[in-house]
Amino acid sequence: MSLLKRLLAWFQPDTSRPLTQAWLAALWMGLAANWPLWKQLQSLSLGPGFMLAFAGMVTAATGAVLSLLAWPRLIKGVLVFLLLAGAALAYFIGTYGIVFDPTMVVNMVQTDVRETRDLLSWRLLASLLVLGALPIWWLLRRPRAPRQAFGKRLGGNLLAFGLGLLAMVVLALSVFATLSSTMRNHKSIRYMVTPLNAVYSVSIVGVRSLSGPKGPPAVIGADAHLLPRADGAKPPLLLLVVGETARAMNFSLNGYARPTNPELSKLPATQLFSMRDVTSCGTATAASLPCMFAPQGRTTFDADKPQENLLDVLQRAGLAVLWLDNQSGCKGLCDRVPNSFTTQLPTGAATLPAGLCNGGECFDEALLHELDKRVATLDPERLQRGLVLVMHQMGSHGPAYFKRSPPDLKPFQPECRSNELQQCPRDQVVNGYDNTIATTDRLLARSIAWLQTQQARFDVGMLYVSDHGESLGENGLYLHGMPYAIAPEEQTHVPMIVWLPESGALATSLQPGCLAGLRDKAASHDNLFHTAMGWVGARAEVYKPEWDLLAGCRR
């Protein structure tokens, strides 16, 4: 036996017993896998005494939970899963400053291959190897546990559980004043404890899924109908563009110093209105999208109670509805209406403009590809009553912002070309992000140009609003998905843009100058459902005119 093997054997404890494995893993995860947590606490200058006590609390709590699972046929499988999860979470929390809560679990479940691919990196692999695979390799080399009577093993597990809880309570009481103040003033810390918070969040989502109502979604707007249209009036065409990860403060239309909206800025100020004080329903697509298409509003919307949405109500009223998607899906919103996804486009086909779609991904302008043909497939009788067309963007989805803008539209250079944003200078991260806003600007301008081609047939208009914002390194935070109660403004302050041609019936029905007065009016995703219904002349009992942004402007 080599000297190195002798040394390793000398320091190897007897880990053939499940409880020993559980507590050694708890020690590793509590100290090593929580390095972002310790880095955060160190930045708060709370002192080494508090740091040691908190580390002891995390380790004791983890060990207590694992003690209940310390059975010979169970513990190694549990630890393999938790060690890998802890290693992955350590990377994402440490790199992007994100937190892991039930909403983030839903985001993970609903993501697609494109978004997952953007998050992969060599540093993630290194974290998985060092914090996950290394202890797993060591763990799997341990011998099987000796046989032990069920009662004796159960008693030992319960004793270890109780001692772990006792240790946690004693340590918490020893630093209670600092602990309570820290948890009150820095709420994000509770979401950084790995892997306990992940286990809690996954459990919450699992319980909600199992206990949620089964069957079809609840019907809303069963009495939906269209208001009579004046003789000779054209049917409405509302283009609703759902932005992705766009924050209002980076739109030059809202006062941003950089020219991120060069195309929209050329349009007449009497037709284009950018609202500057709009807040989102959530900080992630999975939370915002269902909420913004619901009538209840953020404070009373319950995502655990499936229900129909705006599209169902508009379709029931008799309108043609079409959902076009360049994202990871519509989160169930478009399941009952005609829909089309850019992933279904024949990538590389001669009918596609060069460079529009590559490697399984499409730029947002693919949403406009052969749009007339897609509209022509809809029910002609419904089209005679009106059309609501929804375009769901890939927008500014990170962290690979450089992938969201085409090569010919990168006015801000140099841009970060990595998905590990902390490794780039912040100005390069902002450059990459601002290029995505310029790309959205061009999409909206070309969408308006398409709408103008439809004016002979429809009374056209466009409403754009993003689902949530984005952090670009402010206070060490990147991306989005923070719990709403502690989310920074960068993740909740979103752009909303209205375009109406002056000659349209809707525009002429509004009081002169009224839309301009909405620019600085406080609004939110709560207004979307009711504004859209009012816009196209749809009515139902769920419609609230006081939440319709245009209601106060009508003559």
Side-chain angles (χ1 to χ4, degrees):
M1 182 180 294
S2 67
L3 178 60
L4 179 59
K5 288 184 177 180
R6 288 178 182 274
L7 289 174
L8 288 175
W10 180 267
F11 287 104
Q12 283 183 349
D14 177 13
T15 56
S16 62
R17 300 181 183 279
L19 268 178
T20 308
Q21 297 173 22
W23 278 90
L24 286 174
L27 184 65
W28 177 265
M29 290 186 286
L31 300 182
N34 274 291
W35 68 262
L37 174 61
W38 311 135
K39 182 180 178 181
Q40 177 68 14
L41 290 178
Q42 186 180 26
S43 69
L44 299 178
S45 301
L46 298 173
F50 178 81
M51 292 272 290
L52 288 172
F54 201 89
M57 290 169 53
V58 171
T59 301
T62 305
V65 172
L66 292 178
S67 295
L68 298 177
L69 304 173
W71 298 89
R73 298 182 181 274
L74 179 64
I75 190 60
K76 285 188 177 181
V78 170
L79 294 182
V80 166
F81 173 78
L82 292 180
L83 285 165
L84 288 175
L89 289 171
Y91 167 78
F92 288 114
I93 295 173
T95 301
Y96 300 114
I98 65 171
V99 297
F100 200 83
D101 67 340
T103 299
M104 189 62 71
V105 175
V106 176
N107 293 338
M108 290 173 56
V109 172
Q110 296 185 356
T111 193
D112 64 4
V113 175
R114 293 178 298 172
E115 295 177 3
T116 301
R117 187 171 55 214
D118 287 347
L119 294 171
L120 301 180
S121 71
W122 289 109
R123 291 178 179 269
L124 171 58
L125 178 60
S127 182
L128 291 173
L129 289 175
V130 174
L131 294 178
L134 184 62
I136 288 173
W137 173 80
W138 183 83
L139 174 68
L140 294 179
R141 287 169 57 86
R142 300 307 96 207
R144 297 184 63 177
R147 291 184 177 274
Q148 190 176 33
F150 174 81
K152 187 175 181 180
R153 192 175 296 281
L154 176 62
N157 290 0
L158 291 177
L159 177 61
F161 172 75
L163 291 175
L165 288 185
L166 179 62
M168 183 183 68
V169 171
V170 170
L171 289 169
L173 291 176
S174 69
V175 292
F176 183 76
T178 305
L179 178 64
S180 60
S181 174
T182 302
M183 293 295 103
R184 183 171 59 252
N185 297 323
H186 304 280
K187 296 180 181 179
S188 62
I189 288 176
R190 71 185 65 178
Y191 298 104
M192 298 176 67
V193 179
T194 301
L196 289 182
N197 187 61
V199 173
Y200 167 78
S201 298
V202 171
S203 300
I204 290 296
V205 172
V207 170
R208 288 176 180 173
S209 176
L210 293 174
S211 61
K214 303 297 186 292
V219 175
I220 62 170
D223 58 333
H225 61 280
L226 296 175
L227 296 177
R229 207 166 61 231
D231 292 340
K234 301 172 187 174
L237 192 171
L238 169 60
L239 174 58
L240 179 56
V241 183
V242 180
E244 169 64 38
T245 322
R247 59 191 213 173
M249 58 194 69
N250 286 61
F251 276 58
S252 56
L253 289 174
N254 295 331
Y256 189 48
R258 310 180 86 179
T260 53
N261 300 123
E263 297 296 325
L264 293 180
S265 297
K266 297 175 185 177
L267 297 175
T270 54
Q271 298 181 12
L272 191 80
F273 307 91
S274 180
M275 300 185 65
R276 305 185 180 107
D277 188 14
V278 181
T279 54
S280 66
C281 207
T283 62
T285 305
S288 278
L289 210 56
C291 179
M292 62 198 291
F293 278 77
Q296 293 93 339
R298 185 182 69 83
T299 57
T300 55
F301 175 71
D302 188 350
D304 295 327
K305 295 180 179 179
Q307 63 174 21
E308 294 181 343
N309 61 81
L310 172 65
L311 305 184
D312 296 294
V313 176
L314 295 177
Q315 184 168 254
R316 183 173 292 119
L319 296 170
V321 179
L322 175 61
W323 178 285
L324 304 177
D325 203 290
N326 191 36
Q327 250 273 12
S328 58
C330 64
K331 315 306 178 187
L333 296 178
C334 65
D335 289 353
R336 295 167 296 279
V337 302
N339 57 75
S340 177
F341 293 77
T342 57
T343 53
Q344 300 168 346
L345 293 175
T347 303
T351 57
L352 287 174
L356 189 62
C357 297
N358 294 294
E361 293 191 29
C362 296
F363 293 113
D364 283 331
E365 286 189 38
L367 294 166
L368 295 171
H369 178 63
E370 297 186 339
L371 189 50
D372 290 330
K373 291 184 178 179
R374 301 191 210 185
V375 171
T377 63
L378 301 176
D379 185 343
E381 291 187 8
R382 289 183 175 274
L383 286 173
Q384 290 178 3
R385 303 185 194 105
L387 168 64
V388 175
L389 177 63
V390 185
M391 297 198 312
H392 186 202
Q393 287 184 263
M394 191 64 171
S396 303
H397 200 288
Y401 304 123
F402 65 95
K403 292 184 178 181
R404 309 284 95 89
S405 55
D408 68 326
L409 192 55
K410 292 182 180 291
F412 308 106
Q413 294 292 341
E415 67 175 357
C416 177
R417 303 285 298 179
S418 171
N419 59 0
E420 297 183 84
L421 301 178
Q422 283 189 331
Q423 306 305 312
C424 292
R426 186 173 181 274
D427 62 329
Q428 293 185 18
V429 174
V430 175
N431 284 345
Y433 182 83
D434 283 349
N435 287 335
T436 70
I437 302 300
T439 302
T440 289
D441 175 78
R442 186 164 77 178
L443 171 72
L444 296 180
R446 293 185 176 181
S447 298
I448 290 172
W450 177 81
L451 286 171
Q452 290 171 331
T453 68
Q454 305 297 310
Q455 285 185 278
R457 182 182 181 188
F458 295 102
D459 182 29
V460 301
M462 183 193 76
L463 176 62
Y464 163 83
V465 61
S466 183
D467 60 350
H468 55 79
E470 184 89 327
S471 289
L472 298 177
E474 296 88 358
N475 299 313
L477 294 179
Y478 291 89
L479 305 183
H480 52 268
M482 291 288 287
Y484 200 90
I486 60 174
E489 181 185 15
E490 291 82 7
Q491 297 188 25
T492 60
H493 186 199
V494 295
M496 179 181 282
I497 299 172
V498 174
W499 175 79
L500 276 176
E502 296 175 81
S503 59
L506 178 58
T508 56
S509 72
L510 303 178
Q511 301 174 28
C514 187
L515 281 180
L518 296 178
R519 284 193 174 101
D520 294 307
K521 178 182 178 179
S524 72
H525 281 165
D526 294 357
N527 300 110
L528 179 64
F529 181 100
H530 308 278
T531 301
M533 285 196 66
W535 189 310
V536 297
R539 293 294 185 271
E541 188 176 351
V542 293
Y543 168 73
K544 297 180 180 180
E546 65 272 21
W547 285 12
D548 180 350
L549 292 172
L550 303 183
C553 288
R554 295 190 179 93
R555 297 178 188 273

